[in-house]
Amino acid sequence: MTQSTIHVTSEDVDVHAPASTYYTTGSNAGKSIRRLKTLTDSKRLNEQPARKRRASHDDKSKAQRFLIDVKETQRILVEQEDTDGDFQITVNDLGPKTFSVGTADSGGYRRIEIRGTYMLSNLLQELALADDYGRKHIVLDEARLNENPVDRLSRMIRHNFWDGLTRRIDAEGLEIISADPKNRSANHTPRIYVPHGEDQVFKYYTKVAATRTHLKLEVEMLPEKITPLYVKSINDRPGILALAGGRFNEMYGWDSYFEALGLLVDDRVDLAKGMVDNFVYEIKHYGKILNANRSYYLSRSQPPFLTDMALKVYERLPPTKESKVWLERAFQAAIKEYHTVWMAEPRLDPKTMLSRFHPEGLGIPPETEASHFDHILEPYAKKAGLSLEAYMSAYNDGSLKEPKLDEYFLHDRAVRESGHDTTYRYEKRCANLATIDLNSLLYKYETDIADTVEQIFNGKLTDEDRRPQVASEWRKRAAERKERIDRYLWNKEAGLYFDYDTVTKKQSTYETVTAYWAMWAKCASQEQADTMTLRLHKFEALGGLVSGTEESRGITSLDRPNRQWDFPFGWAPHQIMTWRAFQNYDKVEVARRLAYRWLYTITKSFVDFNGVVPEKYDVVSMTHKVQVEYGNVGTDFKYVPREGFGWMNASYQLGLDLVNTQMRRALGTCTHPDLFFEQALKRQQLFDTIQRRKSLEASARTITQNGQITAAITRIEAESSGPGNPVFDFTSHPFNHQ
């Protein structure tokens, strides 16, 4: 028998350290593990291990460490447990859900059995992370496998996901970001557009193109005046738009606000500040905060959050003159955006003096899937006696005019500018609507600017043209907007805010959870807030808030499919905004209850589905496996999630900041919301809420996949002491070779 040497160090390394630390230091520093124990005695190799109970004198609380061959363990684990072949271990897999690994203190000879979906999927993830750092053999702490899922997910967001989402638009970053997955034109040459007059930026990218010829990068400077006609003229050669140099290569407008909130929770102030800098750059050079920094978005904005975003970052900056100058630039940009984008036609409705999502643009939006509009265009093509391709070409180049299509695509662009693409709330009328969400955001701009002028700049803030800004004038604008919101958008009988159609001059009847944005902006009176609290049952589902009510969405069918921003789907921004809305009116317990539901949804999916953190959830049927347009971003990964999803990551960190200790403990054991809130439900006589939800689940399941196999669900439960005092039940079962 060949003798082997195993060097396992006793260096103190935090068992929950980031992978970048855990797999490069201590026992996993590379040189610490010389070679794994090898057995050449065929007799011993063929011996069957005998199960052995731990003796009473054994230390049952001893933390286990495993000695693992990374690639070989990964191969066997996937072969055994990933029965559906998606490179993940989930509750849908039908493997034995048990896997043995060797302990480090026995040189890998004594085996410990790892059981359950959660621990096995964590093992799979840890093997992938170890491989990232070139580790062939590792010493793995059991504590990384049975870690409290709340702590694990929060740690992964903080140390892995934010960095996974980060890119730079520099020479190195262009290698990654130059390809455009939404480019459906014939021209796939990577391209970057530089703002007019940014000569140094143009020279930089020109040099990159010359020195990295394999990129085949084209660099173009935009004209001084960017018109819808110009934007249409470059749709056949789309490209990325230069930013201020901050990270996050492709910044989606309102996504970035929520991501910034999460980054600030995790002390990533530099990244959040860089995102504000990029918004300021976009307003200066492109005239608006863009839907995203791609050329085909040049005519389209997104919901405005810049003032609150800048203030949140400023609160975390050192109290220096430089910080104040930085805030001044951000607010000057916001003031420009306010006047030139949202308070200017066509976005401003001149009669109500309320604002709308109403972008300019010509032709067919180029960023959609190639067949996305076929069902809309085919009748027109048939009527014109043209093939679909010929008709699209003629319509795009302007040789064929069709006013009805112009109106259709106006509303389609407006839906995308709203961030809510798509929903029956906006179907074929979005550009006509003065929405409660947009006007609440602009009310917040007005009050933020007034407060900042007065409280931070002592009345001495000017706009970029050096015009003094007067706090009382901004308060007057806010008061006038509140009066218009109450006149056109508030429905006293229904106890909610609704959108107002500026063309039909009628209030919409669609019940949207964005009604609570008025409370987020502190635009609602206390009486209105109290009334809206009584209407919360319309939106509060088992797993969080739905985007709108089932009644508002209407019946779905093959001819009228579901939309992703309608019932039964829940989205992170709606949760975050509504939490803050209730906090603003001293209804913290309501905010915490809503946060618990949402965090439970995220945590349960994380536990059962290999660490997944997707774009959205069906919060009625409690699943991320949805059958809806665009699918669900963030679910397709191999072995380990790398990025999560930006605003979902943020919602988790923000939610954990909001809930109390008892709630966090209950989340760690995946305590069902209805069980956790049972006593509260009794006190408030809200059992009918549960019954209503159960009836809604049947409806939701007709358009979604539950994705649950109860026989395989990982067991994470609390003892009878109740949700306030949970005890983990992640069980490892040891047995020894004899």
Side-chain angles (χ1 to χ4, degrees), residues 77-240:
L77 182 63
V78 169
E79 185 178 276
Q80 173 183 300
E81 297 291 343
D82 177 26
T83 60
D84 60 7
D86 64 354
F87 300 101
Q88 299 173 21
I89 298 174
T90 75
V91 293
N92 285 347
D93 288 304
L94 302 178
K97 297 293 171 75
T98 180
F99 190 84
S100 68
V101 290
T103 62
D105 60 6
S106 70
Y109 180 60
R110 178 172 170 269
R111 313 289 291 181
I112 293 285
E113 197 173 66
I114 304 299
R115 290 185 174 183
T117 299
Y118 180 62
M119 290 185 70
L120 291 173
S121 68
N122 285 350
L123 175 59
L124 183 64
Q125 294 171 51
E126 293 299 326
L127 294 172
L129 293 171
D131 187 51
D132 288 347
Y133 292 95
R135 299 289 79 113
K136 294 181 179 179
H137 305 114
I138 58 171
V139 173
L140 178 63
D141 287 272
E142 184 182 25
R144 288 182 81 87
L145 305 183
N146 61 14
E147 183 179 5
N148 181 313
V150 174
D151 295 340
R152 181 176 176 86
L153 175 52
S154 183
R155 175 173 60 79
M156 290 180 72
I157 292 170
R158 182 179 302 108
H159 296 300
N160 296 66
F161 290 178
W162 293 131
D163 289 335
L165 287 165
T166 303
R167 305 283 189 276
R168 284 186 180 274
I169 314 181
D170 56 14
E172 298 297 330
L174 282 170
E175 298 269 3
I176 302 171
I177 67 174
S178 55
D180 183 358
K182 295 182 179 178
N183 180 7
R184 62 184 180 93
S185 71
N187 188 339
H188 284 267
T189 302
R191 189 175 293 102
I192 187 164
Y193 287 94
V194 176
H196 179 81
E198 288 286 272
D199 296 333
Q200 291 301 315
V201 178
F202 186 82
K203 287 179 181 178
Y204 171 79
Y205 287 118
T206 301
K207 183 178 179 181
V208 170
T211 56
R212 302 191 179 220
T213 55
H214 64 284
L215 285 177
K216 299 181 180 178
L217 178 67
E218 293 183 2
V219 185
E220 295 191 30
M221 184 171 282
L222 293 166
E224 185 173 5
K225 184 173 177 58
I226 300 171
T227 65
L229 186 62
Y230 171 77
V231 176
K232 189 185 76 167
S233 74
I234 61 173
N235 279 345
D236 61 349
R237 54 183 200 282
I240 197 164

Side-chain angles (χ1 to χ4, degrees), residues 648-704:
M648 195 68 76
N649 301 340
S651 72
Y652 201 75
Q653 304 298 67
L654 289 162
L656 290 181
D657 256 14
L658 174 58
V659 298
N660 60 33
T661 302
Q662 182 188 33
M663 288 176 164
R664 181 166 180 143
R665 288 174 179 166
L667 285 168
T669 58
C670 291
T671 302
H672 193 284
D674 285 345
L675 175 61
F676 186 80
F677 294 118
E678 183 176 2
Q679 294 304 316
L681 287 171
K682 285 179 180 177
R683 287 195 300 269
Q684 299 172 37
Q685 297 183 332
L686 291 178
F687 272 123
D688 58 319
T689 302
I690 297 177
Q691 297 304 317
R692 178 177 177 273
R693 258 202 316 274
K694 288 179 179 177
S695 67
L696 295 179
E697 287 176 9
S699 171
R701 287 195 182 100
T702 63
I703 53 168
T704 60

Side-chain angles (χ1 to χ4, degrees), residues 713-729:
I713 290 178
T714 307
R715 187 157 58 103
I716 307 176
E717 57 192 35
E719 293 184 343
S720 59
S721 52
N725 187 28
V727 179
F728 288 112
D729 189 31

Side-chain angles (χ1 to χ4, degrees), residues 39 73 178-179 235 248 253 351 390 449 515 623 647 682 701:
L39 293 174
T73 304
S178 55
N235 279 345
F248 285 90
K351 184 178 186 302
I449 294 170
T623 179
W647 58 25
K682 285 179 180 177
R701 287 195 182 100

Side-chain angles (χ1 to χ4, degrees), residues 49-68:
R51 294 180 180 271
K52 179 181 178 182
R53 294 179 180 269
R54 286 188 181 183
S56 60
H57 58 271
D58 287 344
D59 184 0
K60 296 181 177 64
S61 64
K62 179 182 177 182
Q64 294 290 347
R65 307 181 80 199
F66 307 124
L67 193 58
I68 293 177

